[in-house]
Amino acid sequence: DNQMTQSPSSLSASVGDRVTITCRTSQSIGTYLNWYQQKPGKPPKLLIYAASNLQSGVPSRFSGSGSGTDFTLTISSLQPEDFATYYCQQSYRALYTFGQGTKLEIK
Amino acid sequence: QVTLRESGPALVKPTETLTLTCTFSGFSLSTSGMCVSWIRQPPGKALDWLARIDWDDDKYYNTSLKTRLTISKDTSKNQVVLTMTNMDPVDTATYYCARTALTGLYYYFDYWGQGTLVTVSS
């Protein structure tokens, strides 16, 4: 199985900060990488698909980059509603796996 | 407007078979490129993809759980059903169904149900 490793597992930041979350895969997956945001008690919400494509309706402060085995999700200026848990997910072949999550908390 | 809703038992006993139904609207599983997946999340833990069924009835399963899972669809009812056999307390989780969209060669989960919590206990 393709292992997904997110870092950090948790992060404290302030409103207005620029934040970067990293996802590393054990096998190369091209750009078959998606990012989701999940708030407590809610289902995940798609933010980015195919590594860098912003899902419709998602604010432009969210961006994704990377290819192969290393990917990043960047939030350019944190807003209060961005404090949540973020997951990467690989979609290379139909063997979908998620990262362990990054919990973004208010400093 | 795309919506999905999961339904099924909240409590199952160990060794029993779980049957969950996803009822959706706003899209058709007979449309080329449309798929529905099941994903679960144990309390306080990460997401775990279980299975996917496609518009053409192709099916894909988590390799670790493949022997226990069956996914099927009823296109006329806009429903997808997941069965999981031999339930164990470690299978306690919130189970989600999600529309699995295809753009080019890329699949992603763009709409999710609210999830249903299934507890496995005697």
Side-chain angles (χ1 to χ4, degrees):
Chain A
D1 281 4
N2 194 358
Q3 301 300 313
M4 314 280 292
T5 304
Q6 281 183 241
S7 60
S9 56
S10 64
L11 173 61
S12 294
S14 301
V15 172
D17 284 354
R18 180 184 180 89
V19 166
T20 297
I21 298 169
T22 297
C23 181
R24 177 164 289 173
T25 63
S26 59
Q27 301 171 27
S28 179
I29 59 169
T31 54
Y32 290 89
L33 193 285
N34 307 318
W35 290 98
Y36 300 84
Q37 175 195 69
Q38 187 178 31
K39 297 182 179 179
K42 298 293 186 182
K45 172 187 174 183
L46 176 68
L47 299 175
I48 302 283
Y49 66 93
S52 61
N53 292 271
L54 193 67
Q55 171 69 349
S56 176
V58 174
S60 59
R61 63 181 179 272
F62 291 92
S63 64
S65 65
S67 66
T69 61
D70 293 288
F71 302 86
T72 59
L73 172 71
T74 300
I75 310 172
S76 60
S77 178
L78 272 175
Q79 298 302 300
E81 60 268 29
D82 300 337
F83 293 95
T85 299
Y86 292 84
Y87 293 95
C88 59
Q89 174 248 326
Q90 67 90 10
S91 62
Y92 184 67
R93 304 176 181 170
L95 297 172
Y96 307 132
T97 48
F98 289 86
Q100 82 277 17
T102 295
K103 188 172 184 179
L104 180 53
E105 298 175 307
I106 301 173
K107 184 182 287 184
Chain B
Q1 180 189 4
V2 173
T3 64
L4 303 99
R5 185 183 76 251
E6 305 87 353
S7 58
L11 179 66
V12 297
K13 291 181 169 55
T15 76
E16 287 186 341
T17 294
L18 171 68
T19 299
L20 294 172
T21 300
C22 175
T23 303
F24 57 86
S25 63
F27 68 98
S28 173
L29 249 186
S30 59
T31 300
S32 179
M34 281 299 164
C35 319
V36 170
S37 292
W38 285 94
I39 298 138
R40 70 179 179 179
Q41 185 172 36
K45 295 188 177 181
L47 300 156
D48 188 23
W49 173 77
L50 299 175
R52 187 187 103 195
I53 190 164
D54 295 356
W55 75 98
D56 58 1
D57 212 35
D58 278 350
K59 299 163 188 173
Y60 303 87
Y61 296 99
N62 180 314
T63 52
S64 301
L65 296 167
K66 186 173 184 176
T67 59
R68 299 175 54 205
L69 296 173
T70 303
I71 193 169
S72 61
K73 63 180 174 71
D74 185 331
T75 305
S76 65
K77 293 183 178 179
N78 281 351
Q79 290 182 333
V80 170
V81 175
L82 180 77
T83 62
M84 180 179 290
T85 62
N86 194 25
M87 293 292 285
D88 183 272
V90 300
D91 297 314
T92 294
T94 296
Y95 286 75
Y96 296 101
C97 62
R99 190 177 83 162
T100 310
L102 174 63
T103 297
L105 300 176
Y106 298 95
Y107 287 95
Y108 45 89
F109 309 124
D110 62 346
Y111 290 92
W112 296 64
Q114 288 301 306
T116 186
L117 175 62
V118 178
T119 301
V120 184
S121 175
S122 55

